[in-house]
């Protein structure tokens, strides 16, 4: 599928996954897509914990009981380094870096025939802390996003988008 079809087909999948595994080769491709994302000052502040151990997935599902966590065959935890991007600067870009990495992975997931949902608010606070401990994430790092991955049991589709003309204005803001 070409990039524009992938963009149009990407959606947040909140249903159950089938029992089909996520192949290690595909999982590596998805993770590489995250690594290939741009980052502020090339700080590369986002790292990933690739989770495919069924016991770890079950432990996370016990903390975040949703159809997509209970049946996921793989998960990706996006871990951020909140250190300033340049020495002597206070500028941090970890949220932007993570957003770019996650979007790349969402597109890779779609292109390879899998599905996922971007979990950020659902894992904030105590749940994020507990998952981070489970995954041995250092306390100075932040678990920001979790992506459960699998083969969708049902076909999802993207939510409708407002028309182009309601979201884009050329040369000046006119909405």
């Amino acid at each position: 599928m070409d990039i524009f079809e992938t963009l149009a087909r990407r959606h947040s999948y909140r249903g159950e996954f089938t029992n089909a595994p996520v192949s290690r080769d595909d999982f590596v491709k998805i993770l590489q897509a995250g690594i290939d994302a741009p980052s502020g000052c090339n700080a590369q502040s986002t790292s990933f914990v690739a989770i495919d151990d069924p016991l770890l997935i079950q432990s996370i599902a016990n903390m975040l009981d949703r159809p997509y966590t209970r049946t996921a065959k793989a998960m990706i935890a996006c871990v951020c380094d909140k250190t300033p991007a340049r020495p002597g600067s206070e500028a941090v870009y970890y949220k932007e870096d993570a957003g770019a990495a996650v979007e790349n992975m969402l597109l890779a997931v779609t292109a390879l025939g899998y599905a996922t949902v971007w979990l950020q608010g659902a894992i904030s606070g105590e749940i994020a802390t507990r998952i981070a401990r489970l995954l041995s994430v250092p306390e100075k790092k932040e678990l920001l996003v979790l992506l459960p991955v699998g083969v969708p049991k049902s076909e999802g589709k993207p939510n409708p988008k407002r028309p182009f003309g309601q979201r884009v204005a050329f040369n000046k803001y006119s909405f």
Side-chain angles (χ1 to χ4, degrees):
M1 123 178 30
D2 78 5
I3 185 66
F4 295 102
E5 183 181 352
T6 302
L7 290 166
R9 291 184 61 187
R10 196 227 49 86
H11 64 282
S12 296
Y13 182 76
R14 292 179 175 86
E16 292 185 356
F17 295 110
T18 69
N19 285 327
V22 174
S23 80
R24 180 57 66 100
D25 287 344
D26 286 348
F27 204 22
V28 167
K29 287 177 186 176
I30 293 164
L31 292 155
Q32 186 63 52
I35 290 168
D36 290 341
S39 69
C41 299
N42 198 33
Q44 302 177 47
S45 63
T46 306
S47 55
F48 311 98
V49 178
I51 308 158
D52 60 5
D53 179 328
L55 294 176
L56 273 176
I57 292 170
Q58 184 58 52
S59 293
I60 293 169
N62 290 340
M63 293 181 232
L64 189 66
D65 188 22
R66 307 282 200 293
Y68 43 81
T69 56
R70 285 192 310 271
T71 59
K73 299 303 171 213
M75 292 184 178
I76 301 168
C78 299
V79 178
C80 298
D81 182 347
K82 301 189 296 185
T83 304
R86 291 187 179 146
S89 170
E90 293 194 22
V92 293
Y93 304 107
Y94 71 93
K95 288 183 181 177
E96 294 86 346
D97 293 355
V102 169
E103 180 64 13
N104 274 15
M105 291 187 295
L106 295 176
L107 294 172
V109 163
T110 300
L112 292 169
Y114 299 102
T116 189
V117 61
W118 181 328
L119 300 177
Q120 190 165 354
I123 65 158
S124 62
E126 182 57 31
I127 292 175
T129 301
R130 290 172 55 208
I131 294 171
R133 277 191 209 123
L134 178 70
L135 301 175
S136 301
V137 174
E139 286 189 27
K140 65 181 182 172
K141 307 271 184 179
E142 180 179 349
L143 171 59
L144 191 64
V145 177
L146 184 68
L147 300 176
V149 181
V151 175
K153 217 176 215 184
S154 59
E155 187 175 336
K157 59 182 186 177
N159 287 323
K161 306 293 185 203
R162 289 182 296 177
F164 185 90
Q166 291 179 12
R167 307 247 338 249
V168 176
F170 287 94
N171 302 314
K172 67 177 182 176
Y173 190 87
S174 60
F175 303 104

